Amino acid sequence: MGQPVTLPLTIGIIGCGNIIAQYLATLPRLDAVRLVAVADLDPARAQAVADDYPGVRALGVQELIDDDEVQLVLNLTVPAAHAEVALRVIAAGKHVYGEKPLAATSAEAAEVLAAAAEAGVVVGCAPDTVLGTGIQTARRAIDDGLIGAPISATATMVTPGHERWHPNPDFYYVPGGGPLLDMGPYYVSALVTLLGPVASVIGAASHTRDSRVISTGPRAGEPVPVSTDTHVTGVLVHESGALSTLVMSFDAVATQSANLEVHGETGSLIVPDPNHFDGEVKLHRLDDESWSTLPVSAGYVDGGRGIGVQDLALTARGDEPRAGGKLAFHALEVMESVLRSAHSGRAVIIESSCDRPAAVPLTEVSLSPTPR
Ligand SMILES: NC(=O)c1ccc[n+]([C@@H]2O[C@H](COP(=O)([O-])OP(=O)(O)OC[C@H]3O[C@@H](n4cnc5c(N)ncnc54)[C@H](O)[C@@H]3O)[C@@H](O)[C@H]2O)c1
């Protein structure tokens, strides 16, 4: 990385909406990072955060980007603003770590990565859930040969629709939303972590109804038009030859399928929800009579949203962080390509690739139990 990272890495957050609370719960526990400033298009939201966190300043958006104390901007804005904010941060010579997806489209995401490479700054991106003990223990089991050579995986995310709990669910039902782009980043990042990058995809998709009715909040009873696929299926052909089957649905009511299963020549794994940091990993080997739970053997213990930023801060200069821009770009291209394949009826070759991120050894993340 061209720009040096000095520790603790000083962070400014842009975007003080729904998800910031989860970051604010984790960042004070991380010794390699220190939050110094917050900003939002709505200054009152930034001020409310600053009021609760001594030492954290509320600034204007550009003021935060230009602030001498800020080394990295944590971009928690909405997906449509991810690329624009990231490009402004990079233009100021700062590192940037964003919420998922890396950008609304892979074309915008490519601009972000190109600008960062030119400026010599680092790009990181959620999800960092895959650095937690759940996915990392499963990865360790695969790497240790507990299931033999991996053959296939299934990834299943089923919910009858976010309009049942979200007061403003409109963005889930337009292009750029839908179950794949909303939840797929967790599943595709986990599949790449477990089985490596994807070479090609085949997709098929549908939607059951042209409008949804909001169930909660002041708009309850109001219909929301649907202009995107709400049930998306796909097959990912990994470079290794393993095949992952994906089912992402805002239409199906419920499921008893595991979020993720991975099958190898001599065993099968049940892998916990990749939207969470922990969870039980279960193994069934060829001659076993039943499933057994594996001991936690890898990953950040007690992880929360933000551990990817600490991981970035501790990554050697010049190395790609585990929750890095290249993985996020690859995941975005895979998801876009599943949808493209669904509409064209043809397999799509994935142009990008990325290294399987380095495994995370079992690591205590909570260095100090109380906020600094
Ligand atoms: N809400 C969740 O449960 C959740 C979970 C995981 C990931 N995420 C991701 O987190 C991101 C943010 O989601 P959220 O739910 O917090 O959204 P939100 O709408 O609640 O908050 C976004 C905030 O960003 C601000 N903002 C928007 N554009 C901006 C800009 N150009 N400059 C400065 N500020 C701007 C808005 O004013 C708002 O306060 C999204 O990428 C989402 O996918 C959200």
Side-chain angles (χ1 to χ4, degrees):
M1 85 185 54
Q3 288 292 322
V5 169
T6 50
L7 298 179
L9 180 68
T10 42
I11 297 175
I13 297 180
I14 300 182
C16 304
N18 191 299
I19 198 62
I20 195 173
Q22 292 194 31
Y23 283 88
L24 293 174
T26 308
L27 293 176
R29 298 193 283 130
L30 308 177
D31 275 7
V33 298
R34 183 162 65 88
L35 179 63
V36 297
V38 289
D40 195 287
L41 279 182
D42 178 352
R45 291 188 183 180
Q47 193 56 55
V49 173
D51 287 346
D52 281 347
Y53 288 82
V56 174
R57 293 170 292 140
L59 301 174
V61 173
Q62 192 60 43
E63 202 184 357
L64 182 144
I65 291 171
D66 292 333
D67 190 85
D68 284 342
E69 205 187 0
V70 172
Q71 289 180 277
L72 175 142
V73 170
L74 180 49
N75 181 3
L76 305 184
T77 61
V78 291
H82 285 176
E84 179 240 313
V85 170
L87 286 168
R88 283 165 67 187
V89 173
I90 292 164
K94 310 277 174 81
H95 309 294
V96 62
Y97 179 103
E99 249 305 335
K100 54 82 186 166
L102 181 55
T105 64
S106 59
E108 283 184 359
E111 274 183 59
V112 170
L113 294 192
E118 176 77 25
V121 299
V122 183
V123 176
C125 189
D128 51 5
T129 45
V130 295
L131 308 182
T133 51
I135 300 298
Q136 290 294 325
T137 295
R139 182 203 172 134
R140 172 94 190 261
I142 294 169
D143 290 355
D144 286 351
L146 298 190
I147 62 167
I151 301 163
S152 64
T154 59
T156 311
M157 193 291 302
V158 158
T159 167
H162 291 345
E163 73 281 8
R164 294 165 65 85
W165 59 269
H166 200 298
N168 294 299
D170 313 63
F171 71 97
Y172 291 118
Y173 295 108
V174 296
L180 183 61
L181 286 175
D182 178 44
M183 296 302 288
Y186 301 103
Y187 288 82
V188 175
S189 303
L191 289 168
V192 173
T193 297
L194 297 171
L195 299 175
V198 177
S200 66
V201 300
I202 302 164
S206 63
H207 75 276
T208 48
R209 26 200 206 282
D210 292 331
S211 78
R212 302 276 181 145
V213 178
I214 301 176
S215 298
T216 60
R219 296 171 63 201
E222 190 183 314
V224 171
V226 175
S227 58
T228 190
D229 292 316
T230 45
H231 185 89
V232 182
T233 62
V235 175
L236 317 185
V237 182
H238 293 264
E239 288 178 12
S240 68
L243 304 178
S244 292
T245 308
L246 211 62
V247 177
M248 302 278 126
S249 185
F250 284 167
D251 288 342
V253 171
T255 180
Q256 287 197 333
S257 301
N259 295 87
L260 288 165
E261 286 184 357
V262 180
H263 305 285
E265 280 180 350
T266 59
S268 294
L269 282 178
I270 294 177
V271 180
D273 187 343
N275 188 19
H276 295 153
F277 290 84
D278 54 11
E280 287 187 343
V281 179
K282 294 188 173 170
L283 171 68
H284 196 307
R285 277 187 282 206
L286 210 48
D287 295 323
D288 292 347
E289 294 197 345
S290 59
W291 295 91
S292 57
T293 301
L294 293 178
V296 170
S297 63
Y300 287 112
V301 179
D302 274 342
R305 285 189 162 85
I307 59 172
V309 187
Q310 163 121 320
D311 193 79
L312 180 155
L314 297 173
T315 299
R317 282 188 213 160
D319 289 354
E320 176 77 359
R322 290 185 175 92
K326 288 183 181 152
L327 170 59
F329 182 85
H330 185 62
L332 183 57
E333 193 196 345
V334 167
M335 293 185 290
E336 272 184 353
S337 301
V338 167
L339 292 171
R340 249 190 321 130
S341 171
H343 297 143
S344 70
R346 299 203 170 138
V348 176
I349 304 295
I350 305 299
E351 311 257 320
S352 68
S353 187
C354 66
D355 291 330
R356 203 175 164 218
V360 182
L362 197 61
T363 306
E364 287 293 333
V365 80
S366 306
L367 299 176
S368 56
T370 49
R372 286 192 282 260

